[in-house]
Amino acid sequence: MSQECVFCKIIAGDIPATLLYEDEDVLAFNDISPQAPTHLLVIPRKHIAGPAALTDADQSLIGKLIKKGTELAAEVGLDDGYRLVMNNGEKAGQTVFHLHLHVLGGRVLTWPPG
Ligand code: AMP
Ligand code: ZN
């Protein structure tokens, strides 16, 4: 747990979030500033600063994060396409330094991303 981390505060219940899923390893909730009709985040309970901070010991956790993202995408009806995104570093748009997987869908998503 990082004292200043907004996602650690959500995990601790100190900041409200619309929880969609939780288990002993991961949580999923709606993004507070959705960039698509469906925009949810899947995060590990463990505070990891971002993709580059993953260690070999986190391999099953990152697999679970992605698998859960795809399951939730199917559950909310994103069967005709969605995007899984992880931003790494400020230049890539990372603003919260607690690992998270964006699940975006419900509209046509252009490529390349901005
Ligand atoms: P990133 O820019 O990749 O670091 O993504 C961080 C995401 O967290 C952004 O899409 C924010 O809108 C979202 N976010 C920040 N604070 C909250 C919050 N309290 N509840 C839900 N989502 C949040
Ligand atoms: Zn954190």
Side-chain angles (χ1 to χ4, degrees), residues 6-7 10 15-17 29-35 39 41 86-87 93-97 100 102:
V6 63
F7 289 174
I10 287 175
I15 290 180
F29 50 87
N30 285 328
D31 196 292
I32 203 169
S33 176
Q35 301 301 309
H39 185 177
L41 301 172
M86 276 189 187
N87 296 321
Q94 187 178 3
T95 58
V96 176
F97 290 83
H100 51 281
H102 296 261

Side-chain angles (χ1 to χ4, degrees), residues 7 11 17-20 27 41 47 53 64 71 73 77 79-80 86 92 96-97 99-100 104 106 112-114:
F7 289 174
I11 291 164
T18 310
L19 277 190
L20 305 169
L27 265 78
L41 301 172
H47 180 88
K64 183 167 181 177
E71 288 171 8
D79 20 34
D80 57 347
M86 276 189 187
V96 176
F97 290 83
L99 187 75
H100 51 281
L104 295 142

Side-chain angles (χ1 to χ4, degrees), residues 40-90:
L40 56 96
L41 301 172
V42 191
I43 70 168
R45 286 188 184 276
K46 177 182 175 186
H47 180 88
I48 300 169
L54 285 161
T55 67
D56 286 350
D58 298 319
Q59 287 192 24
S60 63
L61 183 60
I62 189 72
K64 183 167 181 177
L65 215 65
I66 292 171
K67 185 73 169 68
K68 189 47 67 181
T70 66
E71 288 171 8
L72 288 166
E75 271 177 36
V76 300
L78 297 181
D79 20 34
D80 57 347
Y82 56 88
R83 190 167 291 164
L84 304 177
V85 175
M86 276 189 187
N87 296 321
N88 189 87
E90 283 177 23

